[in-house]
Amino acid sequence: MNFKNVRRILTVCLLLLLFSCKVSKTEKTASEEYVDKVYPLLDTENSRWFYFSSASRPFGMVNLSPDTQIDGAWGSGYRYNTDTVKGFSHIHAWQMAGLSMMPVTAKADDEKIFTDFYSKFDHKTEEIHPGYHKLFLDRYQIETELTSTTRVGFHKYNYQNSNSQALLFNLNTTLGPCDNAEGSLVLDSEKVVSGSFKMTPTSRRPKALITYFKVHFNKPVASIKKDNNTGNYLVTFEEDAGELMAKVGISYTSPENANLNIQSELNHWNFDKVVKESREHWNKLLGRIRVEGGDKKQQDRFYTDLWHALQGRRIISDCNGDYPDNTGDNFRIGKLPLDKTGSPLFNHYNSDSFWGAQWTINTLWGLVYPDIMKEFTMSLIQYYKDGGYIPRGPSGGNYTHVMTGASSTPFIVSAIQKGLISEDLDKIYQALKLNHMPGGIMAKAGYEHETSIGGGLDYYLDKGYVPYPLPVPEDEYGIHKDGSSMTLEYAYQDYTLAQLAKKLQKLEDYNYFTERSKNYKNVFNKNVGWMSPRKVDGSYSDNFDPYQYENGFVEANAAQATWFVPHDLEGLSLLMGGKKQAILKLNNQFVEAEKLGFTSGTSHDAELHPEYSRIPINYGNQPSIETAFVFTKLGNPELTQYWSRKIVNTVFSDLSPSRGYNGDEDQGLMGSLAVLMKLGLFQMNGGTEEDPAYQIGSPIFDKITIDLNSDFYEGKELSIISNNNSEKNIYVESAEFNDRKLDSFEIKHSDLIKGGEIRLHMTNSRHK
């Protein structure tokens, strides 16, 4: 063989090797799943009842997971540092909890099991990813596996001692935010049981709610025993080997619908199939954003944040569209409108407040998940049709009046301005307007159920601000009666309603609400340079301290809340002496806040700490989470880029049970904020103005690809490419969109949804 032939053979072999490597690399990339990047244990040392999810679908009615703490809405549910399982419950929602089941080894005559049934477990034998949870109960030597569909929990138990298989139904117990009472369980057939229990009222959800359930087993029931002391039930099974499996359907309307949910969503016993389908469900949603660059930890944390942005708020309607309507004097079963095939046009939801949503899910959902934003908007409007006004946080089909103001207005207006809602706009406007007028939800303080004076709306309309403190008797109703914060919220929310009035050519209303939106000026004390508590006589509070927590400001101090003027930051800067002075003031706040890590400790309750509460900027709660992007709106985008990167690295980069959001993760709000800051996209006005603008920040990834939903937007993909991106190259020297150089660091919604490419040129030095 001559040298030329040898060289040809070697060349061919090398090419084949390179091709093989390339194919292997491609196959590996294709097999990677976003669900495997999620770290479900994030911040679980500090979580609250509705925070943790494992064996759940996005926004699922069933939120199946183990509970290690059960007493109270805070500090309950799955808490990482507690090594004892107290049951597997199906409902972890805003002011709702229920259907706790515990696999045990017990005979029918076991009396102690009703009060002594907790079991230790070890995290080393635990496996968790979205849609699946597996752990081993040491006491009973039971391997437990959990998964679910949207409305049905699916259990699989492998008993080492197969001769005493049993399940304990804790239907009368304290569970998270409420007590479960009046529980009952009956045998329908040899392998089916059904029952119900009542979720008792809470201070936030004032009406009780009955939950119905149906359970199908894969083997016959041997006995059902009720304990007269606890009111709970022990279900035992025939003494045979093999796994015990249970399909648990729930409904808030009837036992028949609980069974219908099982028949519709889980008509087989293939556990692995459901786990696989759940992974696919999560992957499909998580995969709407694909990131390249950064390290593994950054990517894992990103998809964990995105996972949080798609959970917490729960479906309450059955698969046939029936739902609990608790908005009136008497409970009724409501029925959602159906499409031509008989399927509901949308789901109905249980939800914590939309307080702070203008800087979080408004933007993320509106761009990446417009289908979800539309559905939630339609659900909020359904509450208006049933109960007479749009809620700010419904629970159990009931109004809760959580937090303050008319926080749903910016959310719905944003959905309309982005073209997600286009029908019945005049009716929707009238519904929103009702909340901004006397007797509407703006007039109610937090959890003020029976009256409408604690919100101080009459003072806001008469004096242009809400006093702090409110005089008696107004001060006796509800909570969160911090007048200066209320004034700032109401002014911004009035601005958003004015934008819808303008769109609908209601010029008189537009002028009226625009004038009201300027009321923020009435709580700015020029003598001290801050928003301040203002008394009913018009004077400002003596001995003013800008760092005193909740002194006229809801879950904030004056330094944090002063910047809550997203609709008129230029006007705010004029009150401070101009943009230069305002930028200097805010930058100094960030310098000081950095010393405390930009948050008030690592959990929500730490905000009351004497030192932590005095932080000038708090990225652990909603009131000041827009502040990094204030710099861009005032003409200094470099400071936005600098501080937003600092916040991401300090607050939103942990990947451990001990930290994560360093405060209050209210059902996806902080998770979606973290996603937006890492994407380098933000909307100061919450997307409520005509043709909403996105402000550009400093993306942490080299390339980000967002799939645009073809049902709503004409474009296919939106890419954000950051050339020369690194930990040091955090500044955007210049930006182009579809090869057109941008004159500012803003892009209109109408441009983004056509798709294309944002190209950012990164540098390590400020260019201005």
Side-chain angles (χ1 to χ4, degrees):
M1 183 179 293
N2 60 36
F3 177 75
K4 287 184 178 180
N5 288 335
V6 172
R7 188 170 63 179
R8 288 194 190 100
I9 293 171
L10 290 174
T11 301
V12 170
C13 290
L14 180 60
L15 289 172
L16 288 172
L17 179 62
L18 289 172
F19 179 77
S20 175
C21 290
K22 184 176 181 180
V23 170
S24 297
K25 184 176 181 180
T26 303
E27 290 175 347
K28 181 180 180 181
T29 301
S31 68
E32 288 179 346
E33 295 186 328
Y34 304 104
V35 71
D36 294 320
K37 296 178 182 292
V38 173
Y39 180 70
L41 293 173
L42 185 73
D43 218 357
T44 48
E45 289 183 17
N46 307 303
S47 62
R48 58 199 288 193
W49 179 253
F50 61 57
Y51 174 86
F52 178 76
S53 287
S54 54
S56 306
R57 297 293 182 97
F59 308 111
M61 176 187 283
V62 162
N63 341 112
L64 181 57
S65 60
D67 298 320
T68 62
Q69 295 288 355
I70 61 173
D71 189 7
W74 291 93
S76 64
Y78 182 92
R79 301 277 286 191
Y80 184 82
N81 284 343
T82 304
D83 63 356
T84 303
V85 175
K86 299 179 179 179
F88 301 115
S89 60
H90 294 71
I91 303 168
H92 296 86
W94 163 241
Q95 294 303 302
M96 294 171 62
L99 193 47
S100 179
M101 294 165 52
M102 183 71 174
V104 297
T105 54
K107 299 292 187 180
D109 59 354
D110 191 337
E111 298 288 345
K112 295 181 180 180
I113 196 66
F114 291 100
T115 55
D116 179 16
F117 58 87
Y118 298 167
S119 173
K120 298 284 188 181
F121 77 106
D122 193 325
H123 291 301
K124 293 179 181 179
T125 61
E126 191 174 30
E127 180 184 345
I128 314 172
H129 57 71
Y132 179 77
H133 199 135
K134 177 181 178 180
L135 58 78
F136 191 79
L137 298 177
D138 295 338
R139 175 176 176 177
Y140 304 110
Q141 295 294 290
I142 303 173
E143 181 184 77
T144 69
E145 294 181 83
L146 309 172
T147 189
S148 70
T149 65
T150 297
R151 297 173 176 86
V152 184
F154 202 0
H155 306 238
K156 184 167 75 170
Y157 303 126
N158 186 347
Y159 288 72
Q160 304 298 313
N161 181 359
S162 61
N163 292 326
S164 54
Q165 296 182 3
L167 277 176
L168 187 63
F169 283 75
N170 293 304
L171 305 180
N172 298 276
T173 181
T174 296
L175 201 61
C178 65
D179 289 339
N180 291 173
E182 301 178 21
S184 64
L185 184 72
V186 297
L187 182 67
D188 292 345
S189 62
E190 67 171 2
K191 295 181 181 180
V192 179
V193 300
S194 64
S196 66
F197 59 89
K198 178 187 290 186
M199 284 187 240
T200 59
T202 72
S203 61
R204 293 163 169 79
R205 174 179 51 78
K207 297 179 182 178
L209 179 67
I210 295 176
T211 303
Y212 303 92
F213 62 90
K214 186 79 69 169
V215 185
H216 292 217
F217 300 109
N218 68 328
K219 58 179 61 178
V221 172
S223 68
I224 297 179
K225 179 182 179 180
K226 179 181 179 180
D227 179 62
N228 292 327
N229 294 320
T230 64
N232 294 322
Y233 293 81
L234 181 69
V235 178
T236 63
F237 297 89
E238 300 290 348
E239 295 183 0
D240 66 339
E243 295 171 331
L244 173 63
M245 302 176 73
K247 298 188 292 189
V248 184
I250 66 171
S251 169
Y252 302 119
T253 61
S254 70
E256 292 78 16
N257 275 349
N259 200 52
L260 180 63
N261 290 336
I262 296 176
Q263 293 173 348
S264 300
E265 297 184 355
L266 189 53
N267 62 357
H268 60 81
W269 288 98
N270 190 332
F271 187 87
D272 292 338
K273 181 174 184 289
V274 178
V275 173
K276 182 176 182 293
E277 290 171 347
S278 187
R279 289 176 63 85
E280 292 171 349
H281 193 169
W282 279 111
N283 272 319
K284 185 176 180 180
L285 288 182
L286 295 173
R288 290 195 191 179
I289 305 179
R290 300 181 295 281
V291 299
E292 300 175 32
D295 58 29
K296 183 181 185 303
K297 181 180 179 182
Q298 288 174 316
Q299 290 200 11
D300 288 354
R301 177 58 200 262
F302 176 83
Y303 285 103
T304 303
D305 290 330
L306 190 57
W307 177 61
H308 273 279
L310 298 170
Q311 58 169 301
R313 302 163 198 269
R314 311 297 190 188
I315 291 170
I316 61 169
S317 53
D318 296 317
C319 61
N320 64 356
D322 289 358
Y323 66 90
D325 175 16
N326 239 335
T327 60
D329 293 334
N330 299 304
F331 175 85
R332 76 177 189 96
I333 296 176
K335 295 185 180 297
L336 296 174
L338 307 178
D339 63 18
K340 294 180 181 179
T341 68
S343 300
L345 289 175
F346 55 92
N347 290 307
H348 208 30
Y349 288 94
N350 192 89
S351 178
D352 197 356
S353 177
F354 288 81
W355 192 74
Q358 67 269 9
W359 298 316
T360 54
I361 58 177
N362 273 27
T363 303
L364 180 63
W365 288 2
L367 180 61
V368 187
Y369 304 99
D371 47 332
I372 291 174
M373 190 174 196
K374 178 178 180 178
E375 189 166 61
F376 270 84
T377 299
M378 295 175 75
S379 178
L380 288 170
I381 294 169
Q382 188 68 41
Y383 280 100
Y384 165 73
K385 293 177 179 178
D386 292 337
Y389 59 93
I390 293 173
R392 58 190 180 213
S395 182
N398 189 200
Y399 296 110
T400 68
H401 313 310
V402 53
M403 301 311 296
T404 52
S407 58
S408 296
T409 298
F411 182 82
I412 294 175
V413 171
S414 181
I416 293 172
Q417 297 285 37
K418 292 169 182 173
L420 312 183
I421 302 291
S422 57
E423 297 179 355
D424 298 324
L425 295 188
D426 189 74
K427 292 180 180 179
I428 294 173
Y429 173 79
Q430 296 300 333
L432 292 172
K433 180 180 177 180
L434 184 66
N435 268 350
H436 290 241
M437 304 304 288
I441 205 167
M442 193 177 273
K444 291 179 177 288
Y447 314 112
E448 183 182 354
H449 303 299
E450 305 299 331
T451 55
S452 295
I453 58 176
L457 184 61
D458 289 343
Y459 291 100
Y460 177 80
L461 299 179
D462 179 41
K463 295 177 176 292
Y465 69 96
V466 180
Y468 179 80
L470 283 170
V472 176
E474 290 96 326
D475 192 43
E476 297 177 351
Y477 298 96
I479 66 172
H480 294 314
K481 300 183 295 293
D482 292 285
S484 294
S485 266
M486 288 172 158
T487 302
L488 297 172
E489 285 182 49
Y490 298 176
Y492 164 67
Q493 292 159 4
D494 282 342
Y495 162 85
T496 66
L497 186 59
Q499 304 314 297
L500 183 54
K502 180 181 179 182
K503 180 182 183 71
L504 300 178
Q505 298 183 344
K506 299 177 182 295
L507 297 184
E508 185 176 346
D509 278 10
Y510 169 72
N511 291 330
Y512 171 68
F513 286 110
T514 296
E515 190 62 28
R516 276 175 46 168
S517 76
K518 299 175 184 177
N519 281 345
Y520 74 88
K521 298 177 182 180
N522 297 328
V523 290
F524 186 84
N525 186 346
K526 291 185 178 181
N527 293 326
V528 297
W530 302 97
M531 300 294 177
S532 303
R534 193 170 184 183
K535 300 176 183 177
V536 71
D537 63 6
S539 64
Y540 289 101
S541 299
D542 300 328
N543 302 317
F544 170 72
D545 179 355
Y547 305 111
Q548 184 178 347
Y549 190 69
E550 292 189 335
N551 179 34
F553 299 93
V554 178
E555 296 189 0
N557 57 40
Q560 297 165 16
T562 286
W563 302 95
F564 196 131
V565 190
H567 59 293
D568 191 15
L569 288 168
E570 186 168 341
L572 175 63
S573 69
L574 290 175
L575 294 176
M576 296 177 172
K579 292 183 179 179
K580 183 177 180 180
Q581 288 81 355
I583 290 171
L584 179 62
K585 183 184 187 74
L586 183 57
N587 191 62
N588 287 338
Q589 286 183 241
F590 271 98
V591 170
E592 291 302 311
E594 185 178 14
K595 298 174 183 177
L596 285 173
F598 302 109
T599 65
S600 294
T602 59
S603 62
H604 189 34
D605 56 2
E607 290 173 3
L608 299 173
H609 187 280
E611 179 184 5
Y612 298 152
S613 66
R614 299 181 64 79
I615 192 169
I617 300 290
N618 178 18
Y619 265 84
N621 204 345
Q622 284 82 23
S624 61
I625 58 176
E626 88 288 7
T627 44
F629 282 83
V630 169
F631 295 112
T632 292
K633 296 297 291 184
L634 293 181
N636 197 321
E638 293 84 2
L639 285 175
T640 289
Q641 296 152 17
Y642 176 79
W643 288 116
S644 64
R645 277 288 188 107
K646 285 267 190 178
I647 292 160
V648 165
N649 291 337
T650 306
V651 183
F652 299 126
S653 290
D654 290 280
L655 210 60
S656 72
S658 61
R659 294 185 64 186
Y661 297 106
N662 302 280
D664 193 13
E665 162 58 317
D666 281 322
Q667 302 201 343
L669 294 189
M670 304 308 285
S672 54
L673 172 68
V675 168
L676 292 171
M677 297 186 78
K678 293 168 185 181
L679 295 180
L681 290 177
F682 197 76
Q683 288 187 310
M684 181 60 68
N685 281 337
T688 59
E689 71 270 37
E690 184 180 3
D691 198 1
Y694 295 80
Q695 290 78 48
I696 297 174
S698 179
I700 70 169
F701 299 109
D702 300 338
K703 183 178 181 181
I704 301 158
T705 305
I706 299 172
D707 287 340
L708 297 175
N709 191 318
S710 60
D711 291 337
F712 298 88
Y713 302 139
E714 61 181 286
K716 181 180 180 181
E717 289 182 347
L718 172 68
S719 295
I720 305 171
I721 298 174
S722 301
N723 292 331
N724 301 317
N725 196 15
S726 69
E727 288 295 317
K728 293 183 178 180
N729 293 350
I730 64 174
Y731 298 105
V732 182
E733 186 173 34
S734 62
E736 296 121 31
F737 179 60
N738 290 342
D739 298 323
R740 173 177 58 86
K741 186 173 182 179
L742 297 176
D743 297 327
S744 67
F745 288 94
E746 286 195 345
I747 304 180
K748 293 294 187 180
H749 180 75
S750 60
D751 291 326
L752 281 193
I753 61 175
K754 294 175 184 176
E757 179 181 284
I758 302 172
R759 187 171 291 272
L760 308 178
H761 301 280
M762 312 300 290
T763 180
N764 62 2
S765 61
R766 301 183 188 182
H767 57 90
K768 187 175 180 179

